[in-house]
Amino acid sequence: MVPGIEELEAQERRLVFTRFTYEDAWALGSLLVELARARQAPVAVDIHRAGQQLFHAALPGSTPDNDAWIARKRRVVERYGAASYLVGARFRAKGTTFEASSRLDPGTYAAHGGSFPITVEGVGVIGAVTVSGLPQVEDHRLVVEALETYLGH
């Protein structure tokens, strides 16, 4: 079942860090790689904070195209401060699409599932954790699963 806007917003409220360090990026990225390997998922994984790439891994079956998708989805999180899947869902709920109504270059931005904001309590969105290589809802679910596990939710 595809998550609705309320569920997506609840995920963002729940999956908040008290702090986010280089060590957190390594541990969260490693957890995502572990989950993806267990499923033989052909994904690339990326974690950015404040414009700096802190983690990147490309698993068997992923391609350079996945890196391009990661960058486009991450830019949506950075611009809107919300998960790329949620941004796309909000446009669809209005009866349109991100591509048709955002006025942003679809070669630069993609409101497709797989990039989730790294939010620090009392600070706000400081980065994004992104997966590319599966259907968009599966990319989103993989990131959420890793965040839930890592944050103990």
Side-chain angles (χ1 to χ4, degrees), residues 11 14-15 141 143-153:
Q11 289 170 348
R14 192 174 74 249
L15 300 173
R141 283 188 177 130
V143 172
V144 168
E145 180 184 346
L147 286 166
E148 288 173 340
T149 300
Y150 190 73
L151 292 169
H153 297 317

Side-chain angles (χ1 to χ4, degrees), residues 27-91:
L28 177 60
S30 298
L31 173 61
L32 267 164
V33 167
E34 206 176 288
L35 292 170
R37 277 189 176 146
R39 295 166 190 167
Q40 297 181 323
V43 299
V45 176
D46 182 89
I47 298 176
H48 263 72
R49 181 186 70 185
Q52 182 182 19
Q53 184 178 56
L54 301 185
F55 185 93
H56 185 84
L59 276 62
S62 66
T63 68
D65 195 45
N66 295 120
D67 294 332
W69 275 98
I70 282 171
R72 291 168 58 218
K73 293 190 279 189
R74 186 187 74 247
R75 285 187 198 106
V76 167
V77 172
E78 292 168 349
R79 184 166 184 127
Y80 288 85
S84 55
Y85 193 72
L86 174 57
V87 172
R90 286 177 173 155
F91 277 90

Side-chain angles (χ1 to χ4, degrees), residues 96-150:
T96 185
T97 64
F98 177 81
E99 295 77 12
S101 298
S102 70
R103 297 184 180 179
L104 296 172
D105 176 8
T108 305
Y109 295 89
H112 292 256
S115 191
F116 200 93
I118 297 170
T119 304
V120 174
E121 199 175 279
V123 177
V125 176
I126 60 150
V129 53
T130 311
V131 168
S132 175
L134 302 170
Q136 65 169 326
V137 71
E138 296 305 316
D139 280 347
H140 176 82
R141 283 188 177 130
L142 183 58
V143 172
V144 168
E145 180 184 346
L147 286 166
E148 288 173 340
T149 300
Y150 190 73

